[in-house]
Amino acid sequence: MDIKTLLKDNFLQYSSYVIKDRAIASVIDGFKPVQRRIIHSLFEMNDGNFHKVANVVGNTMKYHPHGDTSIYEALVNMANKDLFIEKQGNFGNLLTGDPASASRYIECRLTPLAFEVLYSKEITSYEPSYDGRNDEPLIFPAKIPVILVQGSEGIAVGMAAKILPHNFNEILSAVKSELLGESYELYPDFPTGGIVDVNEYADGNGKVLVRARIEPTDDNKAILIKELPFGETTESLIASIERAIRKNYIKVSSINDFTTENVEIELTLPRGVYASEVIEKLYHYTNCQVSISVNLLLLSDRYPVIYTVTDIIKFHAEHLQKILKMELELERNKILEKIFSKTLEQMFIEKKIYKILETISKESDVVNIVLSEILKYKDSFLYRDIVLDDIENLLKIPIRKISMFDIDKNNKDIRNLSKELKSVESNIKSIRGFSINFIDTLLEKYSKVYRRKTEISLIKSKNVKEIATKNMKVYLNLKAGFVGTSLIDGEFIGNASYYDKILIFKKNSYVLKNIEDKTFIDKNNVNVLVYDINNSKDQVFSIIYLNKADNFYYVKRFKIDKFITDKIYEFLNDGDEFIDFALNPEFVEFSTSKDIVRMISIDDFMIKSRISVGKRISSSIIKKVKFK
């Protein structure tokens, strides 16, 4: 085998393994293999008491071949979701990012919810573990869409999954609505709270905009961050705020983190700084606002498939009915078996078949003779054929039990079992209604535990250029031919933000440049000014020039809406003579060679493009111009 074929085959095997057995969760139970093995170990170890996490990790290593660290981290992560694992001890802090204690110091066990919606050993399929010594579940018969409840994230070869957590109650309500044929909407809900804009969620395959919950204090001298965006901790959030402060994007005097069980980050503001302005800048310049792209990629029959949230709800509505029906059928068979056993036992005692044993001399004939006697009454009580084990069980009945046997009590037990059987069979026939009742029971039990934490709201974001602080002072030294922020010996021409530009007017063109420490410009420029990028729509330039084509004087007005930095834009043709210009004037006053003085309102001239001719104002030579 050549090296190319070898690498190709090995890479395909590796890719398939990572996708199917490590990184991507299943659509049925919502678990990755390591998570499923942890839950299986906890089911296996369950005795009602807490177990050292170190012991759980050790037991899980019988099924998971990738080391104790990956198991420990996955267990801590699952426990902090507060769904299926109850924790005791320091499991870290989801809000601050503090790590959990070592596995020997912390304990865990399964929650009642795990037993209610995950555990059903009799209908779970098993396969040999990686070393063949043990059996592990192929998949748990989950009764709820676990993947939507806890979310998931994984990077495989050539694909990645990013699934956001949703609210437990809302998920169950959506499944119920699907069973009832009603409409529903389902959106993410995060353990850290915050505010989410789901306008582009696209049923689980778009993106969401998540914000921290920020409020000013009553005296407006400080800002409090009370909830975090999903995926952030107080440590990472404060680090992003400090970066923004260093870059002079926002002004904050001090940062104090008082977070314990609830988030409380206090930002003290300097004098003269308004909370409303700082809050808006926090959303734009820090991790107080983050955009999260989602990709609902899951395994179905061990193949990666992209689902929508609606697809998963529909799948689990059918899956729930299937699982509950299987459990009901198992329960029905158990009840039938109990009725069969009690009826057979009663017949054996009531008809005194046991006395025949006294007349049998050969042990080998016992089973056949007892069977033949019982078969005389078969039509009256038996729902299945009698097998050898049934006869063996009858022969093991103690004499004391036979002598104390209460026929009335036994008949009462059979009647009660028959009532249970009718109820189970009725539930099987109306499995949809039974499934809805199952959901209602869960909602009644857990609705107060899993309340929504994240507020759904339309986030109206301002353009970052609109809120940029004008924290740079721009100076002009026209004599030396420089403009910039470091020319303190030059003429101050204005304050500017990072997004503003330097506008340089020449006699027939203009150019916009980035604001830097020191930029060389032509000494023969007409004017140099700070171009406010936010107010570009309100900035109208008025030009008076002599058109050499007809020797008339014209006024034209234009805006600079779009531009490319450092590109020269001409507004006069070759040969035209520039007279004067102004920014946002109201009137223009000029005198001609005939000593005629005129004042014209600028609003009389339409705003057109920079290459337009404009409107004629004089055929006589203009001696003096003054914009007002």
Side-chain angles (χ1 to χ4, degrees), residues 123-158:
I123 61 172
T124 302
S125 298
Y126 291 83
E127 65 177 351
S129 60
Y130 70 95
D131 60 3
R133 291 190 177 97
N134 301 280
D135 289 332
E136 61 175 307
L138 276 168
I139 214 88
F140 284 120
K143 298 185 182 78
I144 63 172
V146 173
I147 190 63
L148 294 181
V149 179
Q150 67 174 11
S152 181
E153 187 172 354
I155 300 174
V157 179

Side-chain angles (χ1 to χ4, degrees), residues 304-315:
V305 178
I306 292 180
Y307 286 86
T308 64
V309 171
T310 304
D311 291 337
I312 293 176
I313 294 298
K314 288 181 177 179
F315 173 86

Side-chain angles (χ1 to χ4, degrees), residues 304-359:
V305 178
I306 292 180
Y307 286 86
T308 64
V309 171
T310 304
D311 291 337
I312 293 176
I313 294 298
K314 288 181 177 179
F315 173 86
H316 274 276
E318 293 300 320
H319 183 69
L320 173 62
Q321 295 178 84
K322 176 184 174 183
I323 296 301
L324 291 178
K325 186 175 182 180
M326 291 172 67
E327 290 184 343
L328 286 170
E329 287 172 345
L330 280 170
E331 187 179 352
R332 179 184 63 186
N333 292 339
K334 288 178 181 178
I335 294 172
L336 284 170
E337 197 62 33
K338 286 180 182 179
I339 293 173
F340 177 86
S341 178
K342 283 183 173 291
T343 306
L344 196 62
E345 188 177 278
Q346 180 174 329
M347 196 59 59
F348 180 72
I349 297 172
E350 186 180 21
K351 301 300 181 181
K352 301 188 185 302
I353 295 173
Y354 63 90
K355 288 193 173 184
I356 297 174
L357 299 175
E358 299 173 0
T359 63

